[in-house]
Amino acid sequence: NHHDAITGTSTQAALATDLRPWSNTALESGRVALADSLGALAASIDTTAIAGDSAIVVLNPSAHARTDLAEVDLAFDPPAPAVDVLDEQARVLPSQWLSAERDPTGNIVRGRLLFLAADVPAVGTAAFAVRRGDAAAAVTAFRPPSIALTRGGWPVDDVADADTVMLANETLTITLTQASGWCATSIVTGTGSELLGGPSLDVVGYFDAGGAYRIGAEVGRDFSERTSVCRGATPTTLALDERGPARVSLALRTPNDATVERVVSLASSL
């Protein structure tokens, strides 16, 4: 029923037969309505001045101008050796493939591209050009994010050998250490200001003796801490998920009662 759906205490049978189908139907209806409205909006925008093989239109619903990462599905016939994304000033923007299907020669047939959508006006749109390129990497007008792996202060090539990882862009430098359970120990701004007063990105487990959800027992219970990643109670493995000109990402996987995954990402110019 409605009360159980809100509190998350429905039985598995009710979840499977009622709540999940209702939610899926609502989500799919929303996706269709959103795709139709965005398609109609994009079709009304003149992109003939965009110099490229095709154009991407990005909508910013925020009340302020925005630079952020965007994803787009692209297909090429004939396949393309490489692809650049350019803004209206013909600046090459940082981009990387999240997934790509290639032909036997390595050219791209189709895939999902991540790129930096720069300077999209408030409650407005911006058009970006997709240009077929060669295999050589294009020079971008933006500084890509970087990642440095060290052990004992010395550079290493493999993330499995590192005891310290630093992710940096023009705005932030994030430091994670093995000694802290791969928690963030420092986040420094471009002006040198430290944003953290202690380890961050902790995963804490609490002991519950039961009966926490009886009516009248929801408030005031004493949940005692059982595990803390930052204090080394649970081991964490580190994996480098992305290392591209648009975004770098680390996946921090901590086995507990269920595996908890924390993802630390840093994008170009954000």
Side-chain angles (χ1 to χ4, degrees), residues 91-200:
R91 297 179 298 178
V92 177
L93 303 170
S95 64
Q96 64 197 63
W97 290 102
L98 298 178
S99 62
E101 178 186 333
R102 299 177 183 269
D103 68 9
T105 65
N107 291 339
I108 301 163
V109 178
R110 64 180 60 85
R112 174 162 285 244
L113 187 71
L114 178 78
F115 71 98
L116 186 71
D119 305 323
V120 184
V123 198
T125 62
F128 300 90
V130 178
R131 183 182 68 187
R132 298 166 64 96
D134 55 30
V139 177
T140 176
F142 296 82
R143 175 185 167 188
S146 64
I147 183 167
L149 310 173
T150 59
R151 186 170 193 86
W154 294 92
V156 295
D157 295 325
D158 194 332
V159 68
D161 298 328
D163 62 13
T164 302
V165 177
M166 295 180 66
L167 296 84
N169 63 9
E170 297 175 6
T171 306
L172 296 173
T173 298
I174 304 174
T175 302
L176 302 98
T177 63
Q178 186 180 44
S180 70
W182 293 117
C183 291
T185 57
S186 175
I187 300 180
V188 178
T189 67
T191 59
S193 299
E194 174 60 64
L195 300 180
L196 291 184
S200 182

Side-chain angles (χ1 to χ4, degrees), residues 24-37:
N24 290 342
T25 299
L27 286 172
E28 184 58 29
S29 298
R31 291 190 189 101
V32 171
L34 180 61
D36 289 346
S37 59

Side-chain angles (χ1 to χ4, degrees), residues 235-246:
T236 294
T237 59
L238 192 65
L240 184 56
D241 273 7
E242 295 177 308
R243 194 173 191 172

Side-chain angles (χ1 to χ4, degrees), residues 28 45 47 76 79 81 89 93 125 174 226 230 237:
E28 184 58 29
I45 296 173
T47 60
F76 303 96
Q89 290 76 48
L93 303 170
T125 62
I174 304 174
R226 181 171 60 180
C230 289
T237 59

Side-chain angles (χ1 to χ4, degrees), residues 67 69 94 116 140 142-145 169-170 245-247 266-270:
T67 294
L69 295 174
L116 186 71
T140 176
F142 296 82
R143 175 185 167 188
N169 63 9
E170 297 175 6
R247 182 171 66 193
L266 203 58
S268 173
S269 302
L270 296 178

Side-chain angles (χ1 to χ4, degrees), residues 47-58 72 74 76 82-95 113 115-118 126-133:
T47 60
T48 55
I50 298 297
D53 298 291
S54 59
I56 304 169
V57 175
V58 176
V72 62
L74 298 173
F76 303 96
V83 174
D84 298 329
V85 180
L86 296 82
D87 64 9
E88 294 177 349
Q89 290 76 48
R91 297 179 298 178
V92 177
L93 303 170
S95 64
L113 187 71
F115 71 98
L116 186 71
F128 300 90
V130 178
R131 183 182 68 187
R132 298 166 64 96

